Amino acid sequence: MIVNAVIFGALHDTGINFPIYAIMGAILAVTYMRTRDIKCSIGIHILNNFISFI
């Protein structure tokens, strides 16, 4: 989960916002681990992007 969070954060931003993206990566990883359904993590990612867009 930690590796996933770091990779997710690094792919999105390596600057000051890295911790925010790393936390989001951890949340998505935990969501997948609990549900065993990648669609749930994808849905959360889409929702997060949509909220950020607004």
Side-chain angles (χ1 to χ4, degrees):
M1 182 181 78
I2 293 170
V3 171
N4 182 70
V6 170
I7 291 171
F8 186 87
L11 288 174
H12 284 78
D13 190 1
T14 57
I16 192 138
N17 292 324
F18 171 79
I20 295 168
Y21 288 111
I23 291 169
M24 187 62 185
I27 290 169
L28 294 173
V30 168
T31 300
Y32 176 76
M33 288 171 26
R34 288 185 177 227
T35 64
R36 294 288 182 210
D37 188 0
I38 193 70
K39 291 181 280 188
C40 293
S41 294
I42 292 170
I44 292 170
H45 193 285
I46 290 170
L47 180 63
N48 180 62
N49 289 350
F50 179 71
I51 290 170
S52 298
F53 180 73
I54 294 177

